[in-house]
């Protein structure tokens, strides 16, 4: 007998993976250039040259920095560089001892949920949402409370939020720029959220933490602002990753920032570190702790995402698709042309368009397009989107 929850997670079918596998099979039949696979959020631009150069330099010149254990929470010099970078960019006063370096945002989130959860606790998540949140939150023994989407702009339905906050609410998760909608929460949305959480924390006599999941922080388009969330709500814990900004998803590097001025900061940091210990998320890869911390002020060449986005949004809207205004990341989340998003995704396959149904993201009636692909592929996909739309006329 094995753990039934883990068995379920290990054997559950993933719609995204299935689409991806289908794409490979279909490519063998019609040629890879004729399959328009928009299923996966794998960055399409290479990491900056400086990443490889820095890695090679460290390998050659500082062998004592690699292949060995660092502190469980990460190398002190690397943590100091992350702090310095945020202080420069956001006028903070963060210190190395507020950072817990982990293997990507996924581990950061797990450390935070596990570190915070007491029996009966709940975390609020806004749809559409990154489906792994449910796995991570339930894995920590907490309950995920889902707020239905505000489908016009994918900002926050505050009436639904107010109804859902209870004395059991330990935290609220935001992800902006968002996977899967590409929407950026406006400063006004975040300020309103801050006011609600401040009032509810006072009413219930305990802090409600805001967990800001920010792997797309740097992928933001002209005319949009991604505010620094800890400046808007004091009790914010930041989960960051270099997977997308530096195009390094396979290197597994990110961090938790527990700012020193949040309620019970030292206790929260220690609990995050304890969760890291309990989950085995200690000592993130030491070479990439150095590389990312030495390169954390740069990004991959992210311009292609904005180009792809403009091209797709303009064309899709002309064809009659409804698309909420995206401000960053590399996803679009248009409405499906029939209420059943799974049937729509199925029909899209007839045109060799691989689009992920929105139901899995908590927003039925939509599909996700991961447009982190070559622009030329998007240009060639547009007639397919047109033919798909025409098939509904
Ligand atoms: N959070 C969101 C919203 C994501 O989209 C992803 C990955 O796609 C993650 C977290 C996990 O990222 P990482 O590769 O850093 O674990």
């Amino acid at each position: 007998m094995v753990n039934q929850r883990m068995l379920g997670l290990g054997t559950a079918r993933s719609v995204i993976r299935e689409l991806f596998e289908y794409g490979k099979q279909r490519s063998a039949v019609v040629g890879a250039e004729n399959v328009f696979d928009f299923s996966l959020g794998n960055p399409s631009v290479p990491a900056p040259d400086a990443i490889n150069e820095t890695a090679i330099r460290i390998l050659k010149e500082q062998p004592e920095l690699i292949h060995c254990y660092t502190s469980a929470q990460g190398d002190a010099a690397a943590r100091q560089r992350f702090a310095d970078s945020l202080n420069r960019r956001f006028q903070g006063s963060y210190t190395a001892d507020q950072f817990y370096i982990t293997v990507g945002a996924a581990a950061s989130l797990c450390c935070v949920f596990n570190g915070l959860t007491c029996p009966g606790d709940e975390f609020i998540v806004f749809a559409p949402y990154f489906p792994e949140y449910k796995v991570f939150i339930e894995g920590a023994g907490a309950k995920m409370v889902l707020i239905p989407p505000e489908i016009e702009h994918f900002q926050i339905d505050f009436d639904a939020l107010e109804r859902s906050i209870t004395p059991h609410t330990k935290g609220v998760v935001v992800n902006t720029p968002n996977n899967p909608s590409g929407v950026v929460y406006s400063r006004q949305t975040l300020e309103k959220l801050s006011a609600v959480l401040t009032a509810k924390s006072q009413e219930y006599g305990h802090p409600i933490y805001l967990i800001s999941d920010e792997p797309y922080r740097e992928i933001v388009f002209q005319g949009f602002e991604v505010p620094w969330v800890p400046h808007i709500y004091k009790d914010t814990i930041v989960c960051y990753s270099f997977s997308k900004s530096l195009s390094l998803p396979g290197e597994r590097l990110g961090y938790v920032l527990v700012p020193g001025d949040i309620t019970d900061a030292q206790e929260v940091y220690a609990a995050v570190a304890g969760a890291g210990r309990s989950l085995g998320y200690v000592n993130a890869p030491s070479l990439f702790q150095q590389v990312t911390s030495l390169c954390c002020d740069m990004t991959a060449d992210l311009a292609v995402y904005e180009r792809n986005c403009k091209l797709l949004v303009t064309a899709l809207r002309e064809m009659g698709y409804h698309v909420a205004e995206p401000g960053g990341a590399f996803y679009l989340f248009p409405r499906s042309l029939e209420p059943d998003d799974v049937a729509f995704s199925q029909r899209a396959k007839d045109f060799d368009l691989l689009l992920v149904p929105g139901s899995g993201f908590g927003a039925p009636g939509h599909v996700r397009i991961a447009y982190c692909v070559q622009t030329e592929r998007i240009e060639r996909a547009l007639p397919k989107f047109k033919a798909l739309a025409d098939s509904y006329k």
Side-chain angles (χ1 to χ4, degrees):
M1 177 82 158
V2 295
N3 180 306
Q4 295 300 293
R5 178 172 177 269
M6 296 305 160
L7 179 65
L9 286 173
T11 51
R13 50 189 274 278
S14 150
V15 180
I16 298 181
R17 284 278 150 197
E18 274 182 4
L19 265 179
F20 180 66
E21 291 306 325
Y22 168 83
K24 281 201 289 193
Q25 286 163 17
R26 182 77 182 141
S27 296
V29 179
V30 297
E33 69 286 3
N34 296 315
V35 179
F36 300 94
D37 183 354
F38 296 111
S39 63
L40 280 188
N42 223 354
S44 57
V45 291
D49 290 343
I51 291 287
N52 290 356
E53 288 160 11
T54 307
I56 291 166
R57 182 170 56 72
I58 294 172
L59 286 165
K60 282 192 181 149
E61 295 171 12
Q62 293 171 281
E64 74 283 2
L65 284 180
I66 52 167
H67 305 324
C68 54
Y69 288 123
T70 64
S71 305
Q73 67 271 38
D75 176 66
R79 285 183 283 122
Q80 186 61 53
R81 287 185 210 112
F82 291 145
D84 292 343
S85 168
L86 293 184
N87 292 340
R88 271 193 303 275
R89 293 180 55 201
F90 303 117
Q91 293 78 49
S93 50
Y94 304 112
T95 54
D97 57 0
Q98 295 165 3
F99 287 78
Y100 189 88
I101 304 180
T102 59
V103 283
S108 304
L109 290 161
C110 288
C111 289
V112 171
F113 293 135
N114 278 275
L116 290 180
T117 299
C118 301
D121 278 351
E122 299 174 351
F123 289 90
I124 289 180
V125 166
F126 301 104
Y129 70 105
F130 178 54
E132 294 303 285
Y133 290 158
K134 189 163 166 27
V135 179
F136 300 161
I137 290 171
E138 291 180 355
K143 181 176 163 201
M144 185 180 96
V145 175
L146 189 63
I147 306 289
E150 178 278 282
I151 59 167
E152 218 29 59
H153 308 288
F154 292 128
Q155 297 286 316
I156 291 177
D157 177 345
F158 281 99
D159 290 337
L161 173 65
E162 297 228 24
R163 282 195 304 273
S164 303
I165 300 181
T166 74
H168 299 293
T169 306
K170 179 54 75 66
V172 172
V173 183
V174 287
N175 166 224
T176 170
N178 183 264
N179 175 10
S181 70
V183 161
V184 171
Y185 281 171
S186 65
R187 180 174 284 278
Q188 195 192 12
T189 293
L190 290 168
E191 284 175 351
K192 204 164 164 189
L193 177 62
S194 169
V196 171
L197 297 185
T198 304
K200 290 285 182 185
S201 298
Q202 271 164 12
E203 182 183 338
Y204 294 135
H206 65 78
I208 298 174
Y209 292 105
L210 184 58
I211 296 132
S212 185
D213 177 28
E214 310 190 344
Y216 304 96
R217 183 167 68 212
E218 270 63 64
I219 310 179
V220 56
F221 306 152
Q222 255 201 338
F224 288 85
E225 178 205 12
V226 177
W228 177 240
V229 182
H231 282 173
I232 295 180
Y233 183 64
K234 183 177 84 67
D235 282 332
T236 297
I237 301 170
V238 175
C239 294
Y240 187 71
S241 164
F242 294 97
S243 294
K244 319 287 175 171
S245 60
L246 284 172
S247 291
L248 292 175
E251 304 300 350
R252 313 305 302 133
L253 221 295
Y255 57 73
V256 181
L257 165 63
V258 180
D261 59 350
I262 70 167
T263 308
D264 300 326
Q266 284 184 358
E267 210 178 18
V268 171
Y269 182 88
V272 165
R277 180 180 173 193
S278 131
L279 294 164
Y281 289 147
V282 290
N283 189 163
S286 57
L287 174 60
F288 271 83
Q289 289 190 40
Q290 298 304 324
V291 174
T292 54
S293 64
L294 288 163
C295 299
C296 63
D297 283 335
M298 54 181 86
T299 64
D301 181 1
L302 306 171
V304 64
Y305 301 134
E306 183 158 5
R307 261 200 318 276
N308 288 358
C309 182
K310 270 198 188 131
L311 187 64
L312 259 176
V313 171
T314 310
L316 290 182
R317 283 183 178 156
E318 274 170 22
M319 294 172 200
Y321 292 88
H322 181 283
V323 192
E325 193 66 33
F330 41 55
Y331 306 102
L332 277 191
F333 204 57
R335 283 185 198 159
S336 49
L337 297 178
E338 59 181 300
D340 182 344
D341 49 296
V342 177
F344 179 70
S345 162
Q346 197 58 33
R347 176 154 353 170
K349 274 174 161 178
D350 295 344
F351 300 86
D352 287 315
L353 289 171
L354 307 191
L355 316 175
V356 184
S359 316
F361 302 97
H366 297 81
V367 283
R368 188 186 77 170
I369 303 173
Y371 58 77
C372 39
V373 299
Q374 304 294 322
T375 305
E376 163 274 338
R377 189 158 281 251
I378 295 201
E379 283 161 349
R380 286 194 305 107
L382 294 180
K384 305 280 181 180
F385 278 107
K386 175 85 169 64
L388 174 61
D390 288 346
S391 78
Y392 281 92
K393 285 181 181 153

